[in-house]
Amino acid sequence: MAKHLSHVQSIHSAGVFADIATLKALNTSSATNFPDLIWAYVDTEGEYYLDRGSSATEALPNTVAPTTGTGRWIKKSTTLISPNNLLKLLASIGTGTSSFTLSSFLNEAKGLDITSAATTDIGAATGNYINVTGTTAITGLGIIQAGTRRIVNFTGILTLTHNATSLILPTAANIVTANGDVAVFISLGSGNWKCVTYSRANGTPLAVSGITSLTLSSFLNEAKGADIASASTTDIGSATGNYINVTGTTTITGLGTVQAGTRRIVNFTGILTLTHNATSLILPTSSNISTVAGDIAIFISLGSGNWKCISYSRASGASLVGGSSAGKTRYQFAALSATNAILPWTKVVATGALPSQRSAGLGTGVSTDPYVIHSNCTIESIRATIAGGCVSQGAAGTTPTMRVDVYKMNVSSRTLINTYRISFVAGTIGGSTTPTSSFQTSILNGLSDALSAGDIIGCEFVPEISDNNKLNGIISGMLSIQTTE
């Protein structure tokens, strides 16, 4: 500032004085002879300037009150020039000055907060750095000369409305502010402004239009979006993240509108129906899907409110079921007798023994080779066939039954999945023990036991005696487990 004040001295100088007393004796009544900011030099103290508007209490040597006249002589120091007096000083240089060079830094004061409004007049701010408070959308920033700069800190959420003339924003799109966001605006004159930089408080950049691809050199950690309650149109297009929970039980017929190619991973937290539509909600199997808690689906937007489910994983691990019989597989377990002298079948396997390939040592009540399940499935029905009559021996009783035990097995133990009982038709009361030529097949339906890929299963067939009614005859039957994959 010393060089600048020397420049002022050459325009408005009161002279050089030996001491403060001589300076104090000057009559400053005439504004013509002693204009505002006139410069003076005191040999014992240094530089002073006259502030004609000041009536501050005299405090020598920093503030000198003239014996006669107006204003106060202010000693130059590191805090010499206030914002208002700086403006006076600049004005004293004259309008012809095109630049102002500081020999040190300039500490600016923060301006008063300004409340957001449609036109938030930062041009009239009391400082170059200000807070803008409130949540009202902003469409203009007031009028001030071109080149004026304002640094604005936003304290809340509001919308800056882009305009290609009056409020030019980065990305040429509206910006929604957050607490702590900071923007730098430059006046273009006539009430027009341009935002030359915008910094988000969380450090993320503004979205930039026109990017067609992005190559990452490492992984990308995405944030989970807020939960969305199910509705007829469950708008996952407006989700706040690519992975979301969909809550509730309302049937879903649509997923909202977002640009084609958008991906959403959806975790369902309850039971609801996804309604298949060949255009707007394309589902695997081309049929409705009933969700359960923990099911996860991946949807891809096709644009215009249309979506396709490209993956659906059930929490149970089971596959989706189509509407035809193509998904049904029959696992068969043969049980053929070695002789026709089984009167009746009996369970002869010791506790803990494995049902495996039949041998003389294991007896006739054990299945043939165990079967390895290749995919998740559910037991739906069991069929048993027996060659030889079902006869009664003695008084009438309940219907003879065959018990079927289905096990999961490993190399050293077995775990019972379930026990099923299949009824057969009784023969003549008091009839002969000689097997007849009758042939019977019985089916047990309505089963729902789950099997998993990799399970090794085997069966035991145990004809049961009740009230002397029993299965009798040449046993050459077959048992099958029909499953849905």
Side-chain angles (χ1 to χ4, degrees):
M1 294 302 294
K3 290 183 179 180
H4 173 75
L5 288 175
S6 296
H7 176 62
V8 175
Q9 175 191 4
S10 67
I11 301 175
H12 299 291
S13 175
V16 178
F17 303 94
D19 51 33
I20 291 178
T22 306
L23 179 66
K24 183 176 175 67
L26 290 175
N27 185 342
T28 61
S29 298
S30 173
T32 300
N33 295 328
F34 293 94
D36 199 29
L37 296 179
I38 190 170
W39 178 88
Y41 188 85
V42 177
D43 288 338
T44 57
E45 297 295 338
E47 295 174 287
Y48 284 81
Y49 75 97
L50 179 63
D51 184 352
R52 294 189 62 84
S54 175
S55 58
T57 302
E58 185 176 63
L60 300 177
N62 295 322
T63 304
V64 179
T67 303
T68 304
T70 301
R72 297 291 185 267
W73 291 101
I74 308 298
K75 183 179 181 181
K76 180 197 168 191
S77 67
T78 55
T79 58
L80 169 66
I81 300 177
S82 67
N84 286 337
N85 284 337
L86 177 60
L87 294 176
K88 294 178 183 178
L89 182 61
L90 293 174
S92 74
I93 299 175
T95 56
T97 300
S98 59
S99 65
F100 183 76
T101 302
L102 298 176
S103 60
S104 183
F105 57 87
L106 179 65
N107 292 322
E108 297 184 75
K110 175 185 174 295
L112 298 175
D113 292 357
I114 297 178
T115 303
S116 60
T119 298
T120 302
D121 193 1
I122 65 174
T126 56
N128 283 329
Y129 176 75
I130 54 173
N131 290 330
V132 167
T133 64
T135 58
T136 304
I138 296 175
T139 57
L141 296 175
I143 299 174
I144 197 171
Q145 69 180 14
T148 299
R149 171 180 56 91
R150 293 289 186 263
I151 303 171
V152 177
N153 175 70
F154 296 95
T155 66
I157 299 172
L158 58 81
T159 299
L160 293 171
T161 307
H162 171 75
N163 182 283
T165 301
S166 59
L167 187 52
I168 305 170
L169 300 179
T171 77
N174 295 352
I175 296 175
V176 177
T177 71
N179 181 27
D181 286 5
V182 176
V184 178
F185 295 94
I186 298 294
S187 171
L188 305 178
S190 303
N192 301 321
W193 294 78
K194 182 173 183 177
C195 177
V196 296
T197 181
Y198 192 97
S199 301
R200 290 201 181 278
N202 62 11
T204 60
L206 292 174
V208 180
S209 60
I211 292 180
T212 57
S213 65
L214 180 64
T215 301
L216 299 177
S217 60
S218 185
F219 56 86
L220 177 65
N221 291 323
E222 298 183 70
K224 176 185 175 296
D227 293 357
I228 297 178
S230 59
S232 179
T233 298
T234 302
D235 192 2
I236 65 174
S238 62
T240 56
N242 284 329
Y243 176 75
I244 53 173
N245 291 328
V246 167
T247 64
T249 59
T250 304
T251 295
I252 296 175
T253 59
L255 297 175
T257 302
V258 73
Q259 69 178 13
T262 299
R263 170 182 56 91
R264 294 289 187 264
I265 303 173
V266 176
N267 175 68
F268 296 96
T269 65
I271 299 173
L272 57 81
T273 299
L274 293 171
T275 306
H276 171 75
N277 182 284
T279 301
S280 60
L281 188 52
I282 306 170
L283 300 178
T285 75
S286 298
S287 58
N288 296 352
I289 296 175
S290 294
T291 71
V292 298
D295 285 5
I296 293 180
I298 299 177
F299 295 95
I300 296 293
S301 169
L302 306 178
S304 302
N306 302 320
W307 294 78
K308 182 172 184 177
C309 178
I310 61 170
S311 174
Y312 194 96
S313 301
R314 290 203 178 276
S316 66
S319 301
L320 291 174
V321 180
S324 67
S325 60
K328 296 183 182 299
T329 301
R330 178 166 295 170
Y331 298 112
Q332 297 184 350
F333 299 86
L336 304 176
S337 64
T339 69
N340 61 3
I342 303 174
L343 299 172
W345 279 351
T346 56
K347 183 177 180 180
V348 296
V349 178
T351 301
L354 300 179
S356 58
Q357 184 172 356
R358 197 172 73 174
S359 67
L362 291 177
T364 58
V366 182
S367 72
T368 57
D369 293 328
Y371 194 93
V372 178
I373 300 298
H374 296 291
S375 59
N376 299 334
C377 58
T378 302
I379 298 174
E380 287 187 341
S381 62
I382 294 180
R383 182 181 67 184
T385 302
I386 183 171
C390 290
V391 300
S392 64
Q393 299 214 335
T398 56
T399 301
T401 58
M402 178 187 293
R403 191 181 86 224
V404 181
D405 295 328
V406 180
Y407 292 90
K408 290 183 183 179
M409 305 187 301
N410 57 39
V411 296
S412 61
S413 63
R414 64 182 182 181
T415 301
L416 181 67
I417 297 175
N418 212 337
T419 293
Y420 309 99
R421 285 180 169 80
I422 304 177
S423 298
F424 289 83
V425 178
T428 304
I429 300 298
S432 170
T433 59
T434 302
T436 68
S437 61
S438 63
F439 184 90
Q440 288 195 49
T441 296
S442 290
I443 300 176
L444 182 63
N445 293 307
L447 309 181
S448 60
D449 288 300
L451 301 175
S452 300
D455 285 349
I456 302 174
I457 59 174
C459 300
E460 288 182 341
F461 317 124
V462 184
E464 296 183 310
I465 299 175
S466 56
D467 296 331
N468 289 325
N469 292 322
K470 60 186 178 181
L471 301 177
N472 186 15
I474 300 173
I475 308 301
S476 57
M478 180 187 72
L479 179 142
S480 67
I481 300 176
Q482 181 170 287
T483 66
T484 298
E485 292 189 354

